[in-house]
Amino acid sequence: MNIYEKMIKCALDSQKRAYTPYSKFNVGAAVLTESGKIYGGCNIENASYTPTICAERVAIFKAIYDGEKKIKKIAVVGKENSLTFPCGVCRQVIREFCTIDCEIIVIKNEQEYKIIKFSELLPYSFGPEDL
């Protein structure tokens, strides 16, 4: 199984763990760190909506908690047979921990996915080196 297949499987498995009693929109994510570890995440909703957290941030924050600092690739899956891209808040968090050439794997289903560079999602981004 290649790295893309492993990440897609992790994102799809993570999607099943989503807590979405309000939107019913389950999202799963997987991040590959510089050390080669893969971390999964799912979205977790809250009745007041503001504290809701996206799958991408859950996966990233799990990696950071474990001491990882660099993300190499991120996989995201949302609505079945549709491409679900990271929201604006997640894009900024992704920018904090990966380079602009980081690969984003947007999953339509287990066999179909699109790979794009992060710079395509957030051109002219503001990152740590800008401070």
Side-chain angles (χ1 to χ4, degrees):
M1 186 178 294
N2 69 38
I3 197 65
Y4 295 107
E5 292 168 332
K6 289 178 183 177
M7 291 185 71
I8 289 167
K9 181 178 180 349
C10 181
L12 288 166
D13 288 345
S14 296
Q15 184 183 32
K16 295 172 188 168
R17 296 174 181 236
Y19 176 75
T20 59
Y22 310 106
S23 74
K24 309 287 191 248
F25 191 82
N26 292 11
V27 179
V31 299
L32 174 68
T33 63
E34 195 170 58
S35 72
K37 291 175 88 174
I38 296 174
Y39 292 85
C42 63
N43 56 324
I44 303 166
E45 293 181 346
N46 186 280
S48 67
Y49 287 104
T50 303
T52 295
I53 187 166
C54 299
E56 300 91 311
R57 287 182 280 148
V58 170
I60 290 168
F61 295 162
K62 283 172 59 178
I64 299 306
Y65 177 81
D66 274 358
E68 302 285 350
K69 298 293 186 252
K70 296 288 183 190
I71 305 297
K72 290 178 68 173
K73 300 179 190 310
I74 298 173
V76 181
V77 61
K79 187 177 176 183
E80 189 174 3
N81 289 314
S82 181
L83 297 175
T84 300
F85 292 85
C87 74
V89 173
C90 287
R91 291 176 194 206
Q92 188 60 47
V93 171
I94 291 166
R95 179 63 178 91
E96 186 73 18
F97 299 105
C98 76
T99 62
I100 58 172
D101 62 344
C102 173
E103 288 184 332
I104 310 296
I105 306 149
V106 186
I107 304 163
K108 189 171 188 179
N109 57 52
E110 199 164 348
Q111 291 77 36
E112 297 177 83
Y113 54 92
K114 179 179 180 141
I115 300 171
I116 61 173
K117 298 289 184 190
F118 179 72
S119 59
E120 295 175 69
L121 282 180
L122 193 62
Y124 311 107
S125 66
F126 181 86
E129 68 280 354
D130 294 310
L131 294 176

